[in-house]
Amino acid sequence: MSMKQISLGTVSSAARGILITSGTNATPIVATVTAGHRLKNGARIAIAGVTTLTAMNGEWSVSAVAATTGALDGSAGNGAFGGTAVVAAVADRTPFLHRHSAMLTINQPSGAVWVGTLVFEVADSVDATQFYYTNSSGVAVAGFKDGLQSGEIAIPAATAGQVMQLEVSLARFNTIRASAFTSGVAGAALLA
């Protein structure tokens, strides 16, 4: 049996792992994604926060994936890109389902050794403007929450190629974010 993987992207600054910086006013919308996204055809992502090309917001399967672009299947542009796109990987297909376990793998894919702090974050729902998580009282709260019981992951300076693996419980929307950044590159993926 082979392992399946969902990319959470690569961070090389104080940002999220998958960053969308633009989109085309076309059918389908083609998203401009920063290099190192590690998405592949069929990947599922959710987007919120695009204010003028609003048709880009929502959940999508990605196709025609290249180094810095990917088409949002079934989409149709409705204006020029504006706003700040926030992206999360969608866990909605076996073996990646809400509340199932997966292995969060964090690695240093290049010779640039990572020095910083990463946060695995999760959310339960999304609308056109933002993601939401459900708090312990059952109330939807805007944003993401830490997806690890222990909170942030501090990765000290080490040799390139170092790998860290942690078991996590998946939410519908999953992302990685550098909350502190000094230098280097770190990639993250979910395995099941």
Side-chain angles (χ1 to χ4, degrees):
M1 180 171 104
S2 64
M3 299 286 286
K4 304 292 183 196
Q5 176 177 308
I6 292 179
S7 175
L8 298 178
T10 303
V11 290
S12 58
S13 65
R16 294 199 181 279
I18 301 172
L19 296 176
I20 291 179
T21 59
S22 186
T24 61
N25 184 18
T27 301
I29 297 169
V30 176
T32 302
V33 187
T34 54
H37 57 76
R38 297 195 218 168
L39 295 173
K40 56 187 173 185
N41 290 329
R44 300 267 302 138
I45 61 171
I47 303 168
V50 179
T51 56
T52 53
L53 179 59
T54 56
M56 193 175 207
N57 295 316
E59 294 183 36
W60 306 102
S61 291
V62 183
S63 65
V65 175
T68 58
T69 59
L72 306 179
D73 292 347
S75 66
N78 66 342
F81 181 88
T84 302
V86 178
V87 183
V90 179
D92 66 349
R93 296 185 180 163
T94 302
F96 299 102
L97 296 171
H98 179 67
R99 295 192 178 124
H100 285 212
S101 290
M103 185 70 64
L104 171 63
T105 299
I106 298 169
N107 63 27
Q108 298 178 60
S110 71
V113 175
W114 170 261
V115 181
T117 304
L118 296 177
V119 184
F120 173 66
E121 295 180 318
V122 298
D124 304 306
S125 61
V126 64
D127 63 22
T129 61
Q130 59 195 4
F131 288 84
Y132 300 87
Y133 68 91
T134 305
N135 69 14
S136 58
S137 300
V139 175
V141 177
F144 291 90
K145 68 177 180 177
D146 284 347
L148 295 176
Q149 292 180 355
S150 60
E152 297 181 339
I153 306 165
I155 299 178
T159 57
Q162 176 183 1
V163 175
M164 176 184 284
Q165 294 183 321
L166 303 159
E167 185 177 9
V168 296
S169 179
L170 298 174
R172 182 162 180 86
F173 306 105
N174 305 272
T175 186
I176 196 87
R177 177 179 59 87
S179 65
F181 172 78
T182 302
S183 63
V185 177
L190 295 168
L191 302 173

